[in-house]
Amino acid sequence: MTKMTKKSFRILNPRLDPNFKAIFTQNTQASKIALKSFLSAAIGRDVREATVVQNEDAAFYKFQRAVDYDINCEFSDGTKAQVEMQGFDQQYDYGKRAEYYAARLVSSVMEVGDDWNSVAQAYQISVLDFVFDKSNSAPVHHYQMADLGDGARLSGRLNVIFLELPKLPKVLSPEEVNNLPTLLKWCKFLKEADNPRSQDLIRAIVESEEGIMKASDTLKNISDDGWRWVIQGQIEGKKRDYTSGLLAAERRGRAEGIEQGIEQGMHKKAIETAKKLLDDGMPPEKVANCCSLPLEEVLFVER
């Protein structure tokens, strides 16, 4: 592997899919500790063992898609968890997508002949670098199937957890770290780990949790891999192209709207003039010529 030239501070963006995946899927003790710590914090229960089931090469591949499964975990008690990273809004209903993948995760663990008591809990965990629920300021949401009237839940087997990074506290001093729940420490680490101005805060967070410390060590190690910077550049370029395309389409839409509005205004003015000329007794043929309107349209002008 090519090693990058070290600089004073250069850390990969952990919010990008391949980097996020690499933190938790390395075949190292540090990566395994980080994974168990993150899952325990997100799910709200102690995760003793977790095995990464790779449905593609989790450690490295050249062209990473913006959205895909990241980590499919199996726990010692049969519980299933899917962890994925969504880097930016793809302009679709992410709630529906999460429900679909959570349901698919539940069905994937059932074997022919199993009874319903063997259905394990399933967790679809999404770390979102965009705001999903604009009506709620809380950064953490845990959804289950429930009655719309009294809130009564079904079995609780189907779980969707959203961690919305943009909703985290904007300013947080290192002294306040100890008062944060472990899950918010994880979210803050993922949001700020690559920000040079936040390193005092990141240092305090890392020192407060062993799992995050191991994740930080892994992130620093993979940041020495020059090829990962190439991949990150490709993904960031794709994101910029996507955003630029949206802005260009928006500008074209505005320009076309303005042009259409001008044309509609001119047409309305021509109709008003044609009506006045017809009222004054001018023949329709001459009105059509004067107002640059089709004769058929002049003949049907309401008077």
Side-chain angles (χ1 to χ4, degrees), residues 12-13 31 59 85 88-89 96 108 219 231 237 241 249 256 282 284:
L12 288 164
N13 180 353
S31 192
M85 183 68 178
F88 59 100
D89 194 347
K96 292 178 181 177
S108 68
L219 181 60
I231 296 170
D241 290 344
E256 290 172 0
M282 180 179 288

Side-chain angles (χ1 to χ4, degrees), residues 35-155:
L35 177 60
K36 288 193 291 184
S37 172
F38 175 74
L39 291 175
S40 295
I43 294 170
R45 55 186 291 191
D46 184 42
V47 176
R48 297 191 305 274
E49 296 294 335
T51 303
V52 177
V53 181
Q54 297 182 4
N55 51 19
E56 59 183 304
D57 185 358
F60 173 81
Y61 55 99
K62 188 173 182 180
F63 294 107
Q64 169 70 30
R65 292 180 300 162
V67 183
D68 65 339
Y69 274 161
D70 289 334
I71 305 166
N72 184 20
C73 295
E74 298 180 3
F75 303 106
S76 57
D77 61 357
T79 302
K80 303 293 180 178
Q82 173 196 323
V83 183
E84 67 177 5
M85 183 68 178
Q86 174 67 16
F88 59 100
D89 194 347
Q90 293 280 354
Q91 303 299 312
Y92 52 68
D93 193 328
Y94 194 74
K96 292 178 181 177
R97 180 186 187 278
E99 286 180 322
Y100 168 77
Y101 282 119
R104 193 171 75 170
L105 184 62
V106 171
S107 63
S108 68
V109 301
M110 292 291 291
E111 300 290 343
V112 176
D114 286 347
D115 61 48
W116 295 117
N117 292 323
S118 64
V119 177
Q121 283 189 303
Y123 296 88
Q124 200 275 349
I125 306 171
S126 296
V127 183
L128 306 179
D129 201 18
F130 62 86
V131 173
F132 170 74
D133 185 355
K134 296 181 174 62
S135 66
N136 192 317
S137 62
V140 179
H141 298 278
H142 189 148
Y143 303 97
Q144 291 183 334
M145 294 183 68
D147 185 270
L148 294 178
D150 59 14
R153 295 182 299 174
L154 289 178
S155 68

Side-chain angles (χ1 to χ4, degrees), residues 125-192:
I125 306 171
S126 296
V127 183
L128 306 179
D129 201 18
F130 62 86
V131 173
F132 170 74
D133 185 355
K134 296 181 174 62
S135 66
N136 192 317
S137 62
V140 179
H141 298 278
H142 189 148
Y143 303 97
Q144 291 183 334
M145 294 183 68
D147 185 270
L148 294 178
D150 59 14
R153 295 182 299 174
L154 289 178
S155 68
R157 290 295 190 266
L158 190 64
N159 296 267
V160 173
I161 299 172
F162 284 171
L163 309 176
E164 300 179 64
L165 300 187
K167 292 182 179 179
L168 293 170
K170 297 298 182 182
V171 179
L172 191 66
S173 67
E175 291 74 21
E176 297 176 278
V177 166
N178 289 331
N179 297 325
L180 276 180
T182 301
L183 183 54
L184 290 189
K185 291 180 183 179
W186 267 108
C187 291
K188 199 67 177 175
F189 170 77
L190 293 170
K191 183 65 176 175
E192 302 288 347

